Amino acid sequence: MDFGLLLQLGASLLAILVLAGIAWKLGLGGDTRIRDEEHARELADEAESGFSAVDIAIDRAGYAALLRDTDGRVLLLRRHGSHFASRLLTGHASVRLDRHLLVVGTSDKRFGEVTLDLGNKAQYWAASLRRL
């Protein structure tokens, strides 16, 4: 093998390792999930400044959550890549219940529908969302 080709191969490998290290250091990629209620509260406050959740339901997989504040507003969080997107739900939200799964749609078609596995809480949240 030619020395120049080996040098080029080594430099390419080193560049890949450096980029992987930078991505790891910055926390890019990975499996981002809602860890617990406190994490859900932090995400909600980032999305809607001053949103103070008093009732929280987190999807069993940690990909989405529903949060209600003291004013009765409901915020829907869902994972979007390595971040979370949110929408305040209005009376235009669609809600479907399938056993322990709750399917919530917003008036924003770009946000899409979100399916949450809420276990026994699914019926409670479905009933409360229908009253919006």
Side-chain angles (χ1 to χ4, degrees):
M1 251 188 164
D2 183 13
F3 178 72
L5 185 61
L6 282 175
L7 187 60
Q8 191 177 23
L9 181 64
S12 295
L13 183 59
L14 181 63
I16 290 170
L17 292 174
V18 167
L19 289 174
I22 291 170
W24 177 76
K25 189 89 168 167
L26 292 174
L28 301 177
D31 190 18
T32 306
R33 296 177 190 229
I34 301 170
R35 295 182 301 271
D36 54 23
E37 288 189 0
E38 188 56 38
H39 186 218
R41 279 187 178 92
E42 290 171 14
L43 292 169
D45 186 49
E46 287 174 14
E48 288 287 323
S49 182
F51 190 93
S52 180
V54 294
D55 197 8
I56 300 172
I58 301 172
D59 170 68
R60 288 184 184 189
Y63 294 136
L66 288 165
L67 301 94
R68 181 177 291 110
D69 71 0
T70 54
D71 295 330
R73 298 181 304 162
V74 177
L75 182 73
L76 173 62
L77 289 172
R78 76 169 176 91
R79 191 167 88 167
H80 182 72
S82 62
H83 301 287
F84 285 88
S86 69
R87 292 294 183 272
L88 278 172
L89 299 181
T90 65
H92 301 290
S94 65
V95 179
R96 287 192 325 270
L97 179 63
D98 182 14
R99 295 186 185 186
H100 294 212
L101 300 177
L102 185 64
V103 181
V104 180
T106 67
S107 57
D108 183 354
K109 297 297 180 194
R110 296 172 297 155
F111 193 76
E113 288 187 336
V114 179
T115 301
L116 298 101
D117 183 353
L118 299 179
N120 295 332
K121 290 183 174 184
Q123 291 179 342
Y124 164 78
W125 279 91
S128 69
L129 291 177
R130 287 184 182 124
R131 290 190 296 264
L132 282 178

